Amino acid sequence: MLLIGLIISIVGYFFLSPSYTLSRKAQKAYEQQDFQKAYEFSAQALKKDRYNKSAFQIHNQSKQRINIQNFLKRAKKDFEDALTILKKSKLNPQELLELQWIYDDFLAHYNNLFFTNKPTEQEKKAIEEYFNWFKQLKNKLLEAKEKMNLAKDSQSLQILK
C-alpha cells in the first residue's frame, strides 16, 4: 500500500509539477515547429527545476533550430545584398569592398553555425548552396583584386617612364 502511494506521488509529481507541465508545452510547441515558443517554455521549466532533463533537451534542440533559422535568414539577406551590388555593369573599389564585407559576414556566421548545430537534410542543402555561392563570390573578388593590382602596377610603370 505504501509502495503504491509512493508510485502515485512520483507519477503525480511529474504530471502536475509546474516544470514538467511547461516541459510538455515546450515539447508540443517543438513538434509544431514553433521553436521560439518551445525555447521559451523550456527555459521557464528549467527555472523551476534545473534538473528537468526533458526541458533541458528541448531547450537545446530549440536553440539549435533557432540558430539555423537565423543563419538561413541572414545568409539570404547577405545573398540578396550581394546580388544588388553585382547587378551593376561596372563595380568601383568601394562596391568590391562592400562585397568583401558581405562575404566576411556570411563566413563568420557560417563558421559559428556548425560548432553547435545539427541541420536537417533540407537545411543542410540550403546551407551548402549558400556556401558554394559565396565561395564563388570570394574567388571572383580575388580575381578582381588581382586585376586591380595589375592595373595599378601598370600605371605605376607608365608614370616612371
Side-chain angles (χ1 to χ4, degrees):
M1 185 81 133
L2 183 62
L3 182 60
I4 293 173
L6 183 61
I7 292 172
I8 290 172
S9 296
I10 292 172
V11 171
Y13 173 76
F14 286 108
F15 279 102
L16 301 176
S17 154
S19 177
Y20 285 89
T21 299
L22 287 165
S23 182
R24 285 191 299 278
K25 284 183 180 181
Q27 182 64 44
K28 185 175 181 181
Y30 186 87
E31 289 167 0
Q32 294 172 344
Q33 296 187 358
D34 188 343
F35 304 120
Q36 188 62 43
K37 224 178 223 179
Y39 183 78
E40 291 166 8
F41 283 139
S42 61
Q44 291 171 19
L46 288 170
K47 282 183 183 177
K48 294 185 182 301
D49 178 0
R50 64 183 172 169
Y51 301 110
N52 183 334
K53 288 183 182 181
S54 174
F56 184 77
Q57 183 180 17
I58 296 165
H59 192 72
N60 287 333
Q61 290 172 340
S62 298
K63 184 65 174 170
Q64 289 174 2
R65 300 275 59 84
I66 290 167
N67 286 343
I68 290 170
Q69 289 176 345
N70 288 341
F71 170 80
L72 288 172
K73 285 178 192 172
R74 186 167 197 122
K76 182 179 180 186
K77 184 185 180 326
D78 286 344
F79 173 75
E80 290 169 350
D81 290 348
L83 281 181
T84 299
I85 294 170
L86 290 169
K87 285 181 182 177
K88 298 179 179 180
S89 60
K90 196 172 185 181
L91 300 178
N92 63 40
Q94 176 63 34
E95 291 163 330
L96 290 172
L97 186 58
E98 287 176 33
L99 286 171
Q100 181 64 49
W101 291 337
I102 291 169
Y103 170 79
D104 291 343
D105 181 67
F106 168 82
L107 190 62
H109 288 93
Y110 175 83
N111 287 335
N112 288 333
L113 183 68
F114 286 98
F115 289 114
T116 58
N117 303 110
K118 298 174 185 161
T120 64
E121 285 303 313
Q122 184 180 2
E123 291 166 337
K124 191 174 186 178
K125 183 180 176 188
I127 291 167
E128 286 175 7
E129 287 173 359
Y130 280 124
F131 177 79
N132 290 332
W133 190 88
F134 277 99
K135 186 176 170 183
Q136 290 175 356
L137 174 64
K138 178 64 175 175
N139 291 336
K140 288 179 184 179
L141 288 171
L142 289 172
E143 287 175 23
K145 188 175 179 181
E146 263 183 49
K147 287 179 184 176
M148 286 175 58
N149 286 339
L150 288 175
K152 204 185 275 185
D153 290 345
S154 173
Q155 287 175 350
S156 296
L157 289 174
Q158 289 177 1
I159 292 172
L160 292 174
K161 289 184 181 181

